[in-house]
Amino acid sequence: MKNFKLFSPTDYRYGVDELIDYLTEESFIKYKIKVEISLLETLYDFKICPKYVVDEVKNASKKIKAEEIYREEKRIKHDIRALVNVLKKYVSEKSKPFIHLAATSYDIVDTARSLMLKEATEKVIIPDMIELEKIFIKLARKEKNTLQIGRTHGQHAEPITFGFFISLYVERWGERILKVKETKDNLKGKFSGAVGCYNGLRLIVKEVEKFEKKLTEKLNLTPSRISTQILLPEPMVDFTHSIISSFSVLANFSDDMRHLQRTEIGEVGEPFEKKQVGSSTMPQKRNPINFENVKSGWKTFMPRIITSYMDQISEHQRDLTNSLSQRYIPEILVIFDSSVRRIKKITENITVDKKNLKRNFDISRDKVIAEPLQILLSYYGHPEAHEKVRKLAMKSYQKNIPLTEIIFQDEEIKKYLKKFKPEQIEIIKNPEKYTGIADKKVEKICNLWEKKMKEIQNGKC
Amino acid sequence: MKNFKLFSPTDYRYGVDELIDYLTEESFIKYKIKVEISLLETLYDFKICPKYVVDEVKNASKKIKAEEIYREEKRIKHDIRALVNVLKKYVSEKSKPFIHLAATSYDIVDTARSLMLKEATEKVIIPDMIELEKIFIKLARKEKNTLQIGRTHGQHAEPITFGFFISLYVERWGERILKVKETKDNLKGKFSGAVGCYNGLRLIVKEVEKFEKKLTEKLNLTPSRISTQILLPEPMVDFTHSIISSFSVLANFSDDMRHLQRTEIGEVGEPFEKKQVGSSTMPQKRNPINFENVKSGWKTFMPRIITSYMDQISEHQRDLTNSLSQRYIPEILVIFDSSVRRIKKITENITVDKKNLKRNFDISRDKVIAEPLQILLSYYGHPEAHEKVRKLAMKSYQKNIPLTEIIFQDEEIKKYLKKFKPEQIEIIKNPEKYTGIADKKVEKICNLWEKKMKEIQNGKC
Amino acid sequence: MKNFKLFSPTDYRYGVDELIDYLTEESFIKYKIKVEISLLETLYDFKICPKYVVDEVKNASKKIKAEEIYREEKRIKHDIRALVNVLKKYVSEKSKPFIHLAATSYDIVDTARSLMLKEATEKVIIPDMIELEKIFIKLARKEKNTLQIGRTHGQHAEPITFGFFISLYVERWGERILKVKETKDNLKGKFSGAVGCYNGLRLIVKEVEKFEKKLTEKLNLTPSRISTQILLPEPMVDFTHSIISSFSVLANFSDDMRHLQRTEIGEVGEPFEKKQVGSSTMPQKRNPINFENVKSGWKTFMPRIITSYMDQISEHQRDLTNSLSQRYIPEILVIFDSSVRRIKKITENITVDKKNLKRNFDISRDKVIAEPLQILLSYYGHPEAHEKVRKLAMKSYQKNIPLTEIIFQDEEIKKYLKKFKPEQIEIIKNPEKYTGIADKKVEKICNLWEKKMKEIQNGKC
Amino acid sequence: MKNFKLFSPTDYRYGVDELIDYLTEESFIKYKIKVEISLLETLYDFKICPKYVVDEVKNASKKIKAEEIYREEKRIKHDIRALVNVLKKYVSEKSKPFIHLAATSYDIVDTARSLMLKEATEKVIIPDMIELEKIFIKLARKEKNTLQIGRTHGQHAEPITFGFFISLYVERWGERILKVKETKDNLKGKFSGAVGCYNGLRLIVKEVEKFEKKLTEKLNLTPSRISTQILLPEPMVDFTHSIISSFSVLANFSDDMRHLQRTEIGEVGEPFEKKQVGSSTMPQKRNPINFENVKSGWKTFMPRIITSYMDQISEHQRDLTNSLSQRYIPEILVIFDSSVRRIKKITENITVDKKNLKRNFDISRDKVIAEPLQILLSYYGHPEAHEKVRKLAMKSYQKNIPLTEIIFQDEEIKKYLKKFKPEQIEIIKNPEKYTGIADKKVEKICNLWEKKMKEIQNGKC
């Protein structure tokens, strides 16, 4: 049964089940134990501890529950020492001294945190992002020739295609996937001790940097080139930035889709389940609640970057004012991933309403020729084409005669029209053809990102 | 048993038990039902529904579990409609139509949210804040004559007393208590329907504003003077601001205390339990972990104000992009309260180390007379006293002769010293007396706030 | 000639001329001199300095240029000492010692800052805000009966009136004016010296708090009850919050108006000058550039609240990490005021397009009766009115028969319709009448705020 | 003469002269003209316009003043159209039509902005950053063996060297230089027209992407792979992030140095000019005003990232709510660069006080051996070394006997001490040797970054 005696909506409402094995407190403890084991394995590699110690601790690790460690922490007020105490309880007297040997708490904590975030990103976040990218690609291709009026300032501008609109998200989202990938790969491990000089380790090991490298590589991490008691903060702030700037892309997409769903526009429709209720008093309504939810999630977690920037400041060899704050980093990933999944699900089944797309385009069908006209007039030598077309547009508006008609009556314009090539005249007469290279661009972008997604999935990129 | 399969540290680590009855999801549902009952009571007052409906729903409300409502929501994708459906299941056929009659979801949700935040603040947050204020007052009075070197730019400046330093927090914290009180009292209820014009209610009730007033007053809330589908956002952003700006006061106090606890300064000491472990590798250490924790909490939740400002924007009669975000408001209160309690507990038992206070003051004992000297020289007519004293200070520094000695040798100064009154000479000779009205100010501030705290507790303020 | 060799758009593009006398660096210096003069006047009141000193400095102050002080600062690296040095140059030898006597720099700086912000707010900001409020009131009243479809989630909901929509801003903006007024009145002065204990002043004056009160009251400020070297930060953060939360109201209004101006909606139109160019290539366009500008200004300056919260933290008796940051506070006022003026100018001449309002309402004319129908069905005892209406709405949608017709054919509904009162039937048949108390609410809100604005202007509030 | 009738401190106080040619409004106009010229050159390359047009406009560009364009903008309310109008005034009738041909305003504006930021970064920001890096390297090497007590939680921990402390900034700052370099190189140009499909250009040019590539490459920019009316926002947000996260490194350094400058610590000293005044009333003071200034600048501009994230959202093919906000981006660079220069100047002349470093270390000289002792005890098989040492430390504290003595008296410890190697005993007796590989790490880090800096300067990286 789910628990509702909780304060945080992340747990009672928005959590992603697939992330439980990576980003909960229980998993964090699991990762910390994993680092302690790597330490023992490296001690063994360096011939400092016997093999049985490693084995005993591995066995012990299976029996330990978060609960027990928390109980010990309550007693001694130190989380890592609590973990160490509990581990020691489960091993032989001879093994005890090797546990946590020469380590400082944050050798374990920071390395474990890098590990948990990296694995969650590799196993869940990036795969989810890739799936969404594929849906974007599919949709862009499918609608690459679907005419849509382009909008700037919320005003009709020149025509594009719906697929072209989507392909912009193919590009932006693709780039963010690469950025997330790059920054998670840059999360580091450390084993440099209480102030970063390997003071303790150096007592018992000569090649301390080699030791650190070996230990972190067992966890598929690279060691930080230098560190204090804690890891340098920049890899983490870059990682946070990559997630939040990706979240912004979803927020932009959500805003776009919300507005395209407006009653008066109606170019897209969020899928709606049969039993779903749109409003408690207005049963006719179909609200874009999923896009609204994603925007709201972005508004809630985007400002967390401020925390990350503040966490770049840690006095001297570290102060602890980043302890609570860092514990909240996994949550950003959870809500981000929950939003990715939401957008994926909705976009997969989105309705593109071609009738409305056409209807909306037709509102401005006539007016959009102002731009090509002005360009062609200039091209053929008109010195003030912009001003000329502006006046014609005004006249069209005032006299209520279509611009497409007025221009063929205007004496000055007629002289220029004679110079136009047939395909140029064609566009002036059929503004729906004025879509530039929309379709080709869609193909180009989609092909590129389809290829890159494959490369990532095959581990080549 | 505590659950550690959670993403949010708010629940697995920092939650405050006393707030569970107010700020969890389960409580929120309880508050929403409370609003639905107030609606029925008002309908009864206006002779629209019979008394038994109220009774039936009150009985039903005792049986309902969050779980059940969540199950229904999953089916129909609408949280308030789910609540209504579940309520209906537990009442007679004749009562059903009155439940939620003429209400829109957010009449219930927004009113319930105001209620939950207001009650949590009244019953837990403010009482906790007052207790901390009392501890500040006690400490300020106790140490009102304890000499401390004042510090500006981290440099020794002129003397104050430790009690004076604390009395600044008495004042700042006191003012924030008043601000929190004022803004929580300004949280409103609403019953104006789907777009704010009481469109639905007006069908069945003539005096709709009176109806709304009655309904909200049953909950000890005042109605919003006007609203859309949702409450106006400003009372909420003012409330959030009051909490966050209070949190900043704690953050400042924490920073001050952390620095006073530095090894080289050592003027205060965070109490340390016998079994507590300071560091996993440096057993000698006593770290200011509680003050660090509070600073870290502030860093994490302070930026949330950005979310509140963004939530001031809701398109037209509302968009839903404030739904997820508003669900996270209670969490801010939880971490804030947890910090108040932490500071309270630590400050109550703080060690003020008079030996170190004295030692630190003595470092600058000689130098602090530069200021009074300069003022008195000016007062007695020296045209360039500041420059004169600066040079003397330099000379003292270079020749390594105390300023207190040098001045009594300087011919120019001697002429002025003759004019000094005895109490002025006294201060030049005994810089520890140069504390202005530190002690009197402490009394004045403490008396004032002691009185105000009593007034708040007696409900007079 | 204007200077464009500037980095900040605040000066080369968005500045408000009327604020130059209050919020520029030159004015700040003027205010600092004003505080120095108040000090001398108070010294005179306390019989410490002769009258001629005050007069000499007053005369000197007229001759001093910012340039000269900056030159001196460059030499000695201290801004206030530079000011004092320059002042001294212009007075007699006998007057020199009294200048800045017993003052610390921030007695002058902080008091001058409060003064400059307070006066700018009183003389320019609030009057501008009031003018905008009056325009809102006028527009709300004018359009109080103009039917508009209410929108929630960007979807048509139930009808309101355009005046009702505006009256929400009357209320929100009115409340923010009160908040700005309250917080600017709470900005304080101080004269408590280098560490806040009046250490220096106490050497020469017995009643130091009385002295401070007198000095600040000469400047129409109240003294801070207690202070360190600097003023307590909370009054400033409250003031910043009041400005930024007001800015958010403008941002919301701008978003609303931008969307109402969308090509497909067209309910309002930003006034457009004859020579104005909408787009460099699309001469037909009329973009809501002013509303976009205001939103952009909000995005740029709203996050500055974070700086204010961080400035609540100043170590011990102060550190200087709030010096640069506080110099940027006036800029927030400038851009805010520039936005107020922009909105004022645009809204004054806004076009409300009744044809489009009607057209848009008609899209949903039929569907909006779902809500009143559901409420009335419940009212007359239907146990599942919501579900019943939902199904009818679906049927209407699928069969393409208006809901208004279908309901009069449905056997189950017919039974209930018989119980409806004539005015209830009237609404079901004429959904444009389903506007609740929109018109009355407009009058109520406008009357209230009209009265309050007068009170503020008459200094009664 | 400098102007002080300005609102923004960026111009009247903190501006960097070397950036005037890049980041002022005047320069921005210069860059926009540069883009217009590139357009004409490309039109010439594609045989659309004659050579003399390019030449005429190049000549015209030398005569144009910002003032004139602003006057025209005031008339027609459109900045780019104003620029085009003014350019046309200076060329022959035949050249007029080619100016701005097929361009939309933001083809020019966005490309020019990328260009200005890129060039400012290349010519001023990065060279300044590199100079600071070199100073860090020099200082780190110089002090690589200077003993310093490491501090965690503001408490003495284990020893490091002052050079090691600095080498952490060598690493962090070096990495940020690479990040800034990478993100400025990623700033793009565009020439895809009003909605991004090259609609207009396609009328007169077949290979539009080739055209765009040629045009942007003339400016040393790469074209955006796809765009709307404006550039994709992500390269800009990544760039802003790189600057702000670099600023955070300076803020951390400033905090560290401020605290090391505390009266009680005094390990470093900000250089102080002879005429400089530390305090207006306390002539003895030497405040870390430059480090405070940098921290304050960070507090003011760091939150601007929020604006950048919000600017990632632009509706459909663009809304204009990023116009004002983007104009404020150069200012972030100005204050950042001003801070880099400040830190550079101060750090170059910083005083490292070895006497105080030694004195501070000696406070904890005895206690620091707790860690090596515990590690070695564990290493030699003690099952509860941590607990054992904790008790010894307590005993030492209570009995006031040095830990270094107590351990040689403790029977249990003695047994283990026998196993210690000489170099291990050496450290227990001489804690100043307990600095791990501090010195070697310094060399390694400094060599690495020295090499990289050279590579960047030689354009190899």
Side-chain angles (χ1 to χ4, degrees), chain C residues 321-342:
Chain C
T321 68
N322 71 341
S323 169
L324 178 150
S325 45
Q326 300 242 44
R327 286 181 181 275
Y328 280 89
I329 292 177
E331 195 188 17
I332 306 175
L333 290 192
V334 175
I335 299 300
F336 173 64
D337 191 55
S338 143
S339 297
V340 174
R341 286 165 175 247
R342 207 175 272 265

Side-chain angles (χ1 to χ4, degrees), chain C residues 215-443:
Chain C
L215 187 158
T216 51
E217 280 176 1
K218 282 178 197 296
L219 302 159
N220 288 315
L221 292 170
T222 45
S224 184
R225 207 179 279 139
I226 184 170
S227 45
T228 59
Q229 181 174 89
I230 54 174
L231 283 168
L232 302 184
E234 281 73 32
M236 189 64 84
V237 80
D238 287 344
F239 176 67
T240 316
H241 166 70
S242 78
I243 296 295
I244 290 179
S245 62
S246 302
F247 212 154
S248 303
V249 175
L250 294 185
N252 196 163
F253 184 65
S254 296
D255 267 5
D256 276 356
M257 296 305 265
R258 289 196 304 117
H259 291 306
L260 292 182
Q261 228 169 316
R262 282 176 170 278
T263 307
E264 292 88 351
I265 299 181
E267 298 187 358
V268 300
E270 196 169 302
F272 214 70
E273 291 174 34
K274 224 184 147 184
K275 294 275 180 203
Q276 191 169 340
V277 171
S279 154
S280 73
T281 64
M282 299 169 285
Q284 80 282 10
K285 289 191 66 181
R286 287 184 169 199
N287 301 325
I289 54 171
N290 286 293
F291 292 120
E292 290 172 322
N293 176 283
V294 170
K295 177 79 181 287
S296 199
W298 173 81
K299 289 200 291 186
T300 310
F301 287 91
M302 175 270 275
R304 211 47 93 66
I305 191 73
I306 298 290
T307 313
S308 287
Y309 285 133
M310 288 193 288
D311 276 349
Q312 279 187 274
I313 297 182
S314 192
E315 290 162 18
H316 312 308
Q317 282 59 58
R318 89 80 52 99
D319 62 60
L320 198 80
T321 68
N322 71 341
S323 169
L324 178 150
S325 45
Q326 300 242 44
R327 286 181 181 275
Y328 280 89
I329 292 177
E331 195 188 17
I332 306 175
L333 290 192
V334 175
I335 299 300
F336 173 64
D337 191 55
S338 143
S339 297
V340 174
R341 286 165 175 247
R342 207 175 272 265
I343 295 285
K344 201 173 72 185
K345 201 175 138 198
I346 296 309
T347 307
E348 208 165 7
N349 299 296
I350 202 83
T351 310
V352 178
D353 190 320
K354 292 186 188 179
K355 226 177 63 190
N356 286 348
L357 279 157
K358 173 88 175 60
R359 181 199 63 196
N360 294 338
F361 176 76
D362 285 344
I363 297 173
S364 300
R365 197 188 175 280
D366 183 64
K367 291 182 209 96
V368 300
I369 68 153
E371 183 186 85
L373 184 65
Q374 177 230 316
I375 290 168
L376 289 168
L377 288 178
S378 292
Y379 180 69
Y380 289 114
H382 193 295
E384 288 298 342
H386 188 273
E387 190 52 24
K388 175 70 191 172
V389 176
R390 200 179 68 83
K391 281 179 184 157
L392 283 172
M394 282 291 173
K395 196 175 161 191
S396 155
Y397 176 77
Q398 284 154 357
K399 302 215 168 179
N400 200 21
I401 308 175
L403 194 56
T404 19
E405 287 181 25
I406 275 189
I407 56 167
F408 289 96
Q409 297 162 3
D410 187 280
E411 291 308 316
E412 191 187 352
I413 300 292
K414 276 196 220 169
K415 283 187 294 183
Y416 289 92
L417 286 175
K418 280 179 206 158
K419 304 183 193 170
F420 284 27
K421 289 182 206 154
E423 64 266 29
Q424 291 169 337
I425 289 285
E426 181 71 13
I427 279 172
I428 301 297
K429 288 187 173 166
N430 298 296
E432 41 279 306
K433 295 196 174 160
Y434 187 54
T435 55
I437 62 162
D439 52 347
K440 276 177 215 155
K441 194 68 135 187
V442 172
E443 271 314 315

Side-chain angles (χ1 to χ4, degrees), chain D residues 391-449:
Chain D
K391 280 180 186 155
L392 283 171
M394 283 292 172
K395 196 174 162 191
S396 154
Y397 177 76
Q398 282 153 1
K399 301 215 169 179
N400 200 18
I401 307 173
L403 195 56
T404 19
E405 288 182 24
I406 275 188
I407 56 168
F408 290 97
Q409 298 160 4
D410 187 279
E411 292 307 319
E412 191 188 351
I413 299 292
K414 277 196 217 166
K415 284 187 294 183
Y416 289 92
L417 285 174
K418 281 178 205 157
K419 306 182 191 170
F420 284 25
K421 291 182 205 151
E423 64 265 31
Q424 291 169 338
I425 289 285
E426 179 72 12
I427 279 172
I428 300 298
K429 288 188 171 165
N430 298 295
E432 41 279 305
K433 295 193 175 165
Y434 187 53
T435 54
I437 60 162
D439 52 346
K440 275 177 216 155
K441 194 69 135 188
V442 172
E443 271 315 314
K444 187 179 165 181
I445 294 293
C446 289
N447 292 345
L448 175 88
W449 286 105

Side-chain angles (χ1 to χ4, degrees), chain D residues 43 56 136 211 244 261 273 295 335 346 379 392 408:
Chain D
L43 286 171
E56 281 185 27
F136 281 149
F211 186 99
I244 291 179
Q261 227 170 317
E273 292 174 33
K295 176 81 181 287
I335 300 301
I346 296 310
Y379 180 71
L392 283 171
F408 290 97

Side-chain angles (χ1 to χ4, degrees), chain B residues 149 151-158 259 261-265 267 274-277 279-289 292 306 310 360 363-364 367-368 370-371 374 386 389-390 393-394, chain D residues 149 151-158 259 261-265 267 274-277 279-289 292 306 310 360 363-364 367-368 370-371 374 386 389-390 393-394:
Chain B
I149 185 68
R151 290 168 177 96
T152 56
H153 313 262
Q155 304 295 306
H156 284 188
E158 304 301 325
H259 292 306
Q261 228 169 315
R262 283 175 170 279
T263 307
E264 291 89 350
I265 299 181
E267 299 186 358
K274 223 183 149 183
K275 296 275 181 203
Q276 190 169 339
V277 171
S279 153
S280 73
T281 64
M282 298 168 286
Q284 81 280 10
K285 289 190 65 179
R286 286 184 170 199
N287 300 324
I289 54 168
E292 290 172 321
I306 298 289
M310 289 194 286
N360 293 338
I363 296 174
S364 301
K367 291 183 208 94
V368 301
E371 184 187 82
Q374 177 229 317
H386 188 272
V389 176
R390 200 178 68 83
M394 282 291 173
Chain D
I149 185 69
R151 291 170 177 94
T152 55
H153 315 261
Q155 305 294 305
H156 285 189
E158 303 301 325
H259 291 305
Q261 227 170 317
R262 284 176 169 280
T263 307
E264 292 88 350
I265 299 180
E267 299 186 356
K274 223 186 149 184
K275 295 276 180 203
Q276 190 169 340
V277 171
S279 153
S280 74
T281 65
M282 297 168 288
Q284 80 282 10
K285 289 190 67 180
R286 287 184 171 200
N287 301 324
I289 54 169
E292 291 172 322
I306 299 289
M310 289 194 286
N360 294 337
I363 296 173
S364 301
K367 290 183 208 94
V368 301
E371 184 187 84
Q374 177 230 315
H386 188 273
V389 176
R390 200 178 69 82
M394 283 292 172

